[in-house]
């Protein structure tokens, strides 16, 4: 594989960007799933963002074997890394892909075919299958986003959580949409929520296909498990749209959900969250969270 895989120049070039940070147990499977795509015209850019777990040595070996573009840097964070990678990429379609996730072989081909002739779609997504740290498909109870039907989302759908949202492991961006919104915000480290809202606010739709096209890996260091990180960055993202008439309701709904989620797991964080929710915004989740704090 060269930096650009191309057997058919008439196909749009798709840039896949894998930014890796301390994912040595998973990175080879992630890269391998890109190399195994049935779609030919792919540019693969891999960036190690300051790993300390042996990832760099593995990536250098894989780069020599397969010929993809590898850059190794001091830690800059995902948003900055993605912006720099997009700036040097050549694809008209851009796929940021988790270094711990796995694509199904037909993933890129399916999404490219769908995006053709739909300039109003800034992001194409799909459902995901959940796997564990070893790659085993998890039980049916865990597969919440495997069988969701097709949905088209606009800004209010996203901001007000009116429909099931896109999945990070399956995002494909139209390059012009990324450029129109100025890319990712380096100050907001939860990049997917920010960019999805920015792209839909700019007038594009997000179309989510009703089939799984990737496997999302659940393991001990998933970002969503860091409650304080999630709260800080989601609130920063929502604050961009503080002029929206539903801003306060959206913010309170999120705080109540996070309070309930962490009432038993992290009582220090949950107390802080409760202090951010005014009495008039309390709901059943607030009360359930209080019960968990006391008796959990």
């Amino acid at each position: 594989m060269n930096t650009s895989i191309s057997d058919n120049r008439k196909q749009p070039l798709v840039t896949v960007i894998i930014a890796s940070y301390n994912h040595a147990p998973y990175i080879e499977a992630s890269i391998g799933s890109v190399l195994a795509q049935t779609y030919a015209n792919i540019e693969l850019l891999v960036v190690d963002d300051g790993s300390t777990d042996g990832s760099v040595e593995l990536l250098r070996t894989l780069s020599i074997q397969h010929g993809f573009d590898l850059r190794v840097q001091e830690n800059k964070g995902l948003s900055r890394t993605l912006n720099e990678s997009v700036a040097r990429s050549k694809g008209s379609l851009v796929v940021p892909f988790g270094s711990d996730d796995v694509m199904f072989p037909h993933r890129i081909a399916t999404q490219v075919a769908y995006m053709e002739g739909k300039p109003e779609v800034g992001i194409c997504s799909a459902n995901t299958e959940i796997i564990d740290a070893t790659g085993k498909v998890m039980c049916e109870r865990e597969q919440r986003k495997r069988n969701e039907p097709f949905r088209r989302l606009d800004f209010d759908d996203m901001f007000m959580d009116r429909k099931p949202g896109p999945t990070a492991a399956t995002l494909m961006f139209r390059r012009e949409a990324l450029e129109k919104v100025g890319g990712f915000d380096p100050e907001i480290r939860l990049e997917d929520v920010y960019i999805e809202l920015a792209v839909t606010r700019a007038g594009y739709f997000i179309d989510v296909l009703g089939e799984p096209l990737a496997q999302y890996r659940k393991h001990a260091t998933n970002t969503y498990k860091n409650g304080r990180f999630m709260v800080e960055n989601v609130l920063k993202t929502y604050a961009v749209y503080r002029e929206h008439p539903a801003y306060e309701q959206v913010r309170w709904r999120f705080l109540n959900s996070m309070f309930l989620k962490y009432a038993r797991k992290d009582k220090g964080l949950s107390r802080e969250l409760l202090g951010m929710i005014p009495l008039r915004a309390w709901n059943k989740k607030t009360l359930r969270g209080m019960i968990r704090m006391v008796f959990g």
Side-chain angles (χ1 to χ4, degrees):
M1 171 183 173
N2 296 318
T3 301
S4 175
I5 313 172
S6 181
D7 293 334
N8 183 356
R9 293 294 179 179
K10 294 180 180 179
Q11 295 178 316
L13 178 64
V14 177
T15 298
V16 178
I17 301 168
I18 298 179
S20 177
Y21 177 70
N22 286 345
H23 276 168
Y26 318 122
I27 185 65
E28 187 169 2
S30 178
I31 290 172
S33 73
V34 178
L35 299 175
Q37 289 298 294
T38 60
Y39 189 80
N41 204 16
I42 297 176
E43 173 189 48
L44 175 58
L45 308 180
V46 180
V47 182
D48 185 273
D49 190 32
S51 293
T52 58
D53 66 344
S55 295
V56 173
E57 293 77 7
L58 174 58
L59 287 170
R60 284 179 173 147
T61 298
L62 292 171
S63 178
I64 291 169
Q65 286 177 344
H66 301 292
F68 57 79
D69 181 295
L70 172 65
R71 297 201 178 183
V72 176
Q73 63 188 32
E74 294 183 1
N75 185 264
K76 295 182 179 181
L78 184 53
S79 294
R80 286 185 175 84
T81 298
L82 288 174
N83 282 339
E84 292 175 4
S85 299
V86 170
R88 66 187 176 88
S89 70
K90 300 172 184 174
S92 59
L93 298 168
V94 178
V95 175
F97 191 59
S99 52
D100 49 352
D101 298 328
V102 176
M103 295 183 184
F104 291 144
H106 61 290
R107 180 245 165 117
I108 300 294
T110 300
Q111 290 183 290
V112 169
Y114 181 81
M115 293 280 272
E116 184 177 359
K118 299 183 183 68
E120 75 279 10
V121 179
I123 303 174
C124 178
S125 181
N127 294 338
T128 52
E129 182 175 73
I130 309 300
I131 58 175
D132 66 15
T134 69
K136 180 182 177 181
V137 177
M138 297 187 73
C139 66
E140 193 64 31
R141 182 171 52 86
E142 296 285 345
Q143 305 296 339
R144 286 173 292 177
K145 289 202 172 181
R146 179 180 172 84
N147 298 312
E148 296 282 0
F150 171 88
R151 56 267 191 209
R152 169 166 283 194
L153 303 112
D154 61 19
F155 176 79
D156 280 348
D157 291 329
M158 291 294 302
F159 191 61
M160 299 169 68
D161 197 26
R162 299 193 301 202
K163 300 175 186 177
T167 59
T170 63
L171 298 177
M172 174 178 281
F173 293 86
R174 198 174 294 283
R175 184 188 194 89
E176 66 185 48
L178 281 176
E179 292 176 345
K180 185 172 182 178
V181 302
F184 300 85
D185 185 338
E187 301 306 316
I188 298 177
R189 295 167 59 205
L190 194 65
E191 77 296 335
D192 52 340
V193 177
Y194 171 82
I195 201 67
E196 290 157 9
L197 287 171
V199 167
T200 51
R201 190 64 162 179
Y204 293 94
F205 293 107
I206 300 176
D207 282 5
V208 188
L209 308 184
E211 62 176 300
L213 291 180
Q215 292 178 316
Y216 174 78
R217 191 186 303 269
K218 292 185 74 170
H219 54 83
T221 59
N222 286 128
T223 299
Y224 76 89
K225 294 184 178 179
N226 185 335
R228 196 170 295 277
F229 174 90
M230 292 286 293
V231 170
E232 176 185 345
N233 285 280
V234 170
L235 290 180
K236 276 186 182 180
T237 300
Y238 286 161
V240 174
Y241 307 103
R242 59 170 58 88
E243 301 303 320
H244 191 283
Y247 168 68
E248 286 193 341
Q249 287 73 24
V250 167
R251 187 174 184 274
W252 294 338
R253 181 197 65 219
F254 172 71
L255 288 171
N256 272 304
S257 293
M258 295 301 282
F259 171 62
L260 176 61
K261 181 174 181 177
Y262 286 95
R264 185 178 293 125
K265 300 176 185 176
D266 187 335
K267 295 192 176 181
L269 173 60
S270 61
R271 281 192 293 269
E272 292 177 34
L273 291 170
L274 183 59
M276 297 166 71
I277 305 169
L279 186 60
R280 66 183 182 278
W282 285 16
N283 59 26
K284 290 180 180 179
K285 288 186 176 181
T286 324
L287 300 178
R288 287 167 57 199
M290 290 178 178
I291 292 171
R292 286 186 184 182
M293 282 184 67
V294 175
F295 300 104

